[in-house]
């Protein structure tokens, strides 16, 4: 048997007006974790779709264990031992662990009835192999995101998986869940599975990968052992330039208070939350997954109902019971779920960019397409959104460019207060720096920015002050000039220590 379980030879894929892949070659070996890196739009997703039978390359060939194959469908790829775990989980939360693992490949017993006794036993065995002691009858909506992801891996290894593609597998996981996932990756590696690991988190690449391939603008830039790379050389290969400062924080003059939240309570979710944000300030909100940060700001923005508490804008109490009232009070909310809540994926880029300011785009209650186009063209230029044109469906853009559209949508409202919930989740290093520079521009203009982030380097690098939450309570309020503004103290607060 060839030591090369999968080999891509000079793969080229062309879409109308876009050369998505240009002569890309890649080799996967048994028991090796191969990192695939590149900016959003570099061609990673297109390459994965060629490897799983969703796309057929226009040029080049694919070999599986030395034999050339033409992958015509996802099911054909699975039959050849190729499975993919995507960033967005492919589960049915209302069904059990067993049902999700055996979905589409149920075992039938006597009388063509489903043999749940056998399937439950196999499901339990599979999950135990992955270090998960779970009742196979448990519904997935009772599990955390990390455990749900383990179910997807369980489904992949139900068949004799030879190649496992993991596309941003840790983007929605807590630190503890990431550690569990890394253990599973090592288990699979020891069993001889070839793993393609796609991540924007460089620390994960250095921890788990043996070799790395870097794409840029659809072209192969480099394949090399991780041991020969540094953080700086990886970033430079990805973005095509040296990125000296990953967190280019530019201090702005902090002036008057813009918004003050007093004694916010939502029973069972958070309690007694008070804070304020000033013009020119970046206020961070840190904490572990489940701390209640997103839930708090959904209430501030009027998406969800709060049980008690007050909001003051420019020292004047306001009532916000729906997003329309929040927008009229010049508040913008960049949600962490860009695909589910931030965008209408089958609509055009220009409609998504202008949907939060329809009133401005209207003449006598009739939408003015010319105004919408002009506004969207400004956003595309200023935010450097990569799109064939402004009529392209936003769902066809890369994750980083989708995120820019979400941000651009809110910039068009000309808000004073920007709530950014995990604005860099799932986007590449170069796009992250662009988001950070945008934050700098906002505070320079005197705007107030609230940055909710699970990445401590981001909090430390970009915030003037950070509030730490744990289980719906504030456990820390730390200024950037405090000696306690460091990773250890913020993590201590996230685990329950009171730090001021």
């Amino acid at each position: 048997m060839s030591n090369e379980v999968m080999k891509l030879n000079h793969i080229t894929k062309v879409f109308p007006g876009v050369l998505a892949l240009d002569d890309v070659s890649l080799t996967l070996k048994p028991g090796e974790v191969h990192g695939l890196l590149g900016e959003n739009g570099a061609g990673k997703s297109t390459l994965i779709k060629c490897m799983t039978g969703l796309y057929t390359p226009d040029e080049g060939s694919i070999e599986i264990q030395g034999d050339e194959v033409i992958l015509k469908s996802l099911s054909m790829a699975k039959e050849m031992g190729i499975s993919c775990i995507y960033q967005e989980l492919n589960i049915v939360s209302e069904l059990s662990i067993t049902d999700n693992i055996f979905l589409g490949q149920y075992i039938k017993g006597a009388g063509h009835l489903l043999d749940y006794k056998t399937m439950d036993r196999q499901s339990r065995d599979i999950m135990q192999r992955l270090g998960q002691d779970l009742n196979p009858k448990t519904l997935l909506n009772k599990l955390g995101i990390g455990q749900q992801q383990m179910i997807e891996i369980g489904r992949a290894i139900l068949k004799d998986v030879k190649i496992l593609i993991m596309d941003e597998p840790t983007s929605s996981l807590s630190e503890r869940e990431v550690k569990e996932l890394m253990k599973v990756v090592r288990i699979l590696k020891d069993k001889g599975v070839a793993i393609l690991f796609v991540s924007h988190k460089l620390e994960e690449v250095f921890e788990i990968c043996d070799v790395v391939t870097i794409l840029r603008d659809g072209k192969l830039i480099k394949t090399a052992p991780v041991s020969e790379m540094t953080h700086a050389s990886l970033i430079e290969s990805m973005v095509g330039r040296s990125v000296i400062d990953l967190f280019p924080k530019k201090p702005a003059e902090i002036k008057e208070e813009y918004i003050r939240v007093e004694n916010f309570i939502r029973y069972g979710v958070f309690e007694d939350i008070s804070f304020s944000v000033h013009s020119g300030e970046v206020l961070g909100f840190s904490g572990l997954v489940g701390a209640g940060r997103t839930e708090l700001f959904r209430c501030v923005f009027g998406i969800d109902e709060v049980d008690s508490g007050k909001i003051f804008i420019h020292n004047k109490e306001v009532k916000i019971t729906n997003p329309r009232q929040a927008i009229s009070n010049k508040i913008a909310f960049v949600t962490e779920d860009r695909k589910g809540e931030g965008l209408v994926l089958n609509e055009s880029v220009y409609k998504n960019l202008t949907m939060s300011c329809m009133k401005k785009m209207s003449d006598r209650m009739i939408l003015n397409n010319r105004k919408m186009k002009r506004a969207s063209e400004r956003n595309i230029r200023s935010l450097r959104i990569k799109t064939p044109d402004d009529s392209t469906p936003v769902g066809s853009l890369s994750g980083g460019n989708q995120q820019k559209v979400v941000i651009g949508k809110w910039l068009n409202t000309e808000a004073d207060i920007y709530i950014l919930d995990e604005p860099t989740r799932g986007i590449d290093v170069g796009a992250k720096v662009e988001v950070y520079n945008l934050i700098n521009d906002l505070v320079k203009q005197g705007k107030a920015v609230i940055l909710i982030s699970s990445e401590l380097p981001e909090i430390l690098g970009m915030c003037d002050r950070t509030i730490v939450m744990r289980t719906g309570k504030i456990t820390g309020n730390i200024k950037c000039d405090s000696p306690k503004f460091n990773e250890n103290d913020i993590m201590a607060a996230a685990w329950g220590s009171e730090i001021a």
Side-chain angles (χ1 to χ4, degrees):
M1 185 182 76
S2 169
N3 191 40
E4 298 169 345
V5 65
M6 188 176 203
K7 191 172 183 182
L8 308 180
N9 302 304
H10 309 290
I11 300 296
T12 296
K13 183 65 182 175
V14 181
F15 298 103
V18 178
L19 180 58
L21 293 173
D22 184 6
D23 193 28
V24 174
S25 297
L26 181 145
T27 299
L28 299 181
K29 297 179 179 179
E32 181 178 81
V33 182
H34 194 124
L36 180 63
L37 304 182
E39 293 188 275
N40 292 105
K44 303 187 301 296
S45 295
T46 303
L47 189 66
I48 288 171
K49 288 175 181 177
C50 289
M51 296 170 71
T52 54
L54 292 172
Y55 290 162
T56 301
D58 296 310
E59 295 179 20
S61 63
I62 298 175
E63 296 175 23
I64 305 290
Q65 294 181 327
D67 296 324
E68 186 172 332
V69 299
I70 298 175
L71 299 173
K72 295 181 179 180
S73 66
L74 190 61
S75 58
M76 183 178 177
K78 285 183 177 179
E79 287 297 322
M80 292 189 172
I82 304 166
S83 287
C84 184
I85 311 268
Y86 293 99
Q87 183 177 347
E88 284 81 23
L89 295 179
N90 184 24
I91 60 166
V92 182
S93 60
E94 294 80 12
L95 295 181
S96 69
I97 290 174
T98 293
D99 281 315
N100 273 275
I101 287 178
F102 282 89
L103 201 62
Q105 46 193 348
Y106 286 108
I107 297 174
K108 293 182 180 179
H112 297 289
L113 297 176
L114 297 182
D115 185 357
Y116 271 101
K117 185 176 181 180
T118 299
M119 290 190 293
D120 283 343
R121 186 182 68 249
Q122 290 188 21
S123 295
R124 189 184 294 276
D125 290 344
I126 286 169
M127 296 316 294
Q128 286 178 345
R129 281 164 57 194
L130 298 177
Q132 306 293 311
D133 188 14
L134 296 171
N135 185 335
K137 291 181 169 60
T138 303
L139 299 183
L140 260 67
N141 57 20
K142 304 295 184 184
L143 303 177
I145 295 293
Q147 289 176 313
Q148 291 177 4
Q149 200 154 47
M150 297 301 179
I151 308 306
E152 282 225 80
I153 296 173
R155 184 193 300 156
I157 66 174
L158 175 64
K159 296 224 171 204
D160 185 20
V161 64
K162 298 181 179 67
I163 300 158
L164 182 62
I165 301 167
M166 308 183 82
D167 187 6
E168 291 289 339
T170 66
S171 61
S172 299
L173 302 188
S174 68
E175 187 176 353
R176 180 183 60 80
E177 290 169 333
V178 170
K179 288 180 180 177
E180 285 296 314
L181 183 67
M182 292 302 178
K183 287 181 185 176
V184 170
V185 171
R186 291 187 179 96
I187 290 170
L188 296 173
K189 176 182 175 178
D190 290 343
K191 292 182 180 298
V193 176
I195 299 170
L196 185 71
F197 191 86
V198 184
S199 179
H200 290 308
K201 298 179 181 180
L202 299 189
E203 63 274 14
E204 294 175 358
V205 173
F206 282 99
E207 177 185 350
I208 202 69
C209 294
D210 302 298
V211 65
V212 64
T213 288
I214 299 169
L215 302 181
R216 187 169 73 240
D217 297 329
K219 293 182 172 64
L220 174 66
I221 300 301
K222 179 182 288 187
T223 295
V226 169
S227 58
E228 295 178 4
M229 306 293 289
T230 64
H231 278 74
S233 63
L234 275 178
I235 293 169
E236 188 168 346
S237 295
M238 281 191 289
V239 303
R241 64 185 187 280
S242 176
V243 179
I244 298 171
D245 190 356
L246 289 179
F247 303 102
K249 169 71 172 169
K250 293 181 181 177
E253 186 179 0
I254 298 175
K255 298 181 181 177
E256 73 275 11
E257 178 186 275
Y258 260 6
I259 183 171
R260 183 170 76 255
V261 172
E262 290 186 354
N263 308 116
F264 249 41
I265 297 174
R266 189 176 189 200
Y267 296 119
V269 182
F270 55 79
E271 58 181 276
D272 196 27
I273 302 293
S274 298
F275 65 91
S276 63
V277 194
H278 295 72
S279 165
E281 181 181 31
V282 181
L283 173 64
F285 265 77
S286 187
L288 303 174
V289 172
R293 297 166 300 166
T294 295
E295 292 81 359
L296 167 65
F297 285 99
R298 285 176 62 89
C299 290
V300 171
F301 196 66
I303 299 171
D304 298 327
E305 189 176 350
V306 68
D307 291 308
S308 66
K310 298 178 179 179
I311 297 177
F312 297 83
I313 293 180
H314 298 300
N315 286 312
K316 180 181 177 182
E317 186 177 357
V318 298
K319 295 292 183 184
I320 298 176
T321 59
N322 58 61
R324 184 175 294 152
Q325 291 174 336
I327 293 169
S328 68
N329 281 288
K330 295 205 163 187
I331 302 175
F333 184 29
V334 176
T335 172
E336 67 173 335
D337 183 5
R338 63 174 175 257
K339 290 189 174 180
E341 298 177 343
L343 299 168
V344 181
L345 296 176
N346 60 349
E347 283 289 2
S348 66
V349 170
Y350 86 87
K351 286 183 179 178
N352 273 274
L353 281 166
T354 53
M355 66 172 52
S356 292
C357 55
M358 291 294 192
K359 195 171 182 180
K360 282 171 52 181
M361 299 295 138
S362 302
D363 293 328
R364 297 179 183 178
M365 304 297 290
I366 298 174
L367 282 174
N368 185 321
N369 268 314
R370 190 174 296 172
K371 280 186 180 179
M372 294 168 70
K373 290 265 190 179
R374 279 202 302 265
S376 67
E377 285 166 5
R378 284 196 300 269
N379 291 138
I380 290 168
R381 283 196 305 271
S382 63
L383 296 173
R384 294 194 288 277
I385 299 170
K386 291 181 181 177
T387 177
D389 56 58
D390 63 5
S391 296
T392 300
V394 76
S396 67
L397 303 187
S398 68
N401 286 297
Q402 288 180 1
Q403 187 72 342
K404 291 178 185 179
V405 172
V406 177
I407 293 170
K409 174 181 77 173
W410 290 110
L411 290 178
N412 284 328
T413 66
E414 299 178 349
D416 288 333
I417 301 150
Y418 286 82
I419 303 167
L420 310 180
D421 192 358
E422 303 286 1
T424 65
R425 174 175 288 168
I427 66 175
D428 60 77
V429 174
K432 284 182 179 182
V433 173
E434 290 183 6
V435 171
Y436 301 146
N437 283 323
L438 176 62
I439 292 172
N440 287 334
D441 291 341
L442 290 173
V443 293
K444 184 180 178 181
Q445 296 167 28
K447 311 294 187 182
V449 175
I450 297 167
L451 176 60
I452 306 166
S453 177
S454 299
E455 295 192 28
L456 278 182
E458 190 167 88
I459 290 288
L460 295 169
M462 291 304 299
C463 296
D464 300 296
R465 181 166 54 98
T466 188
I467 288 174
V468 188
M469 290 181 65
R470 174 170 173 79
T471 60
K473 297 179 182 178
I474 290 178
T475 53
N477 189 343
I478 313 168
K479 291 184 177 180
C480 66
D481 57 2
S482 165
K484 295 182 179 179
F485 192 70
N486 61 68
E487 193 163 326
N488 289 338
D489 283 308
I490 291 175
M491 281 304 298
W495 284 104
S497 299
E498 295 284 340
I499 294 180

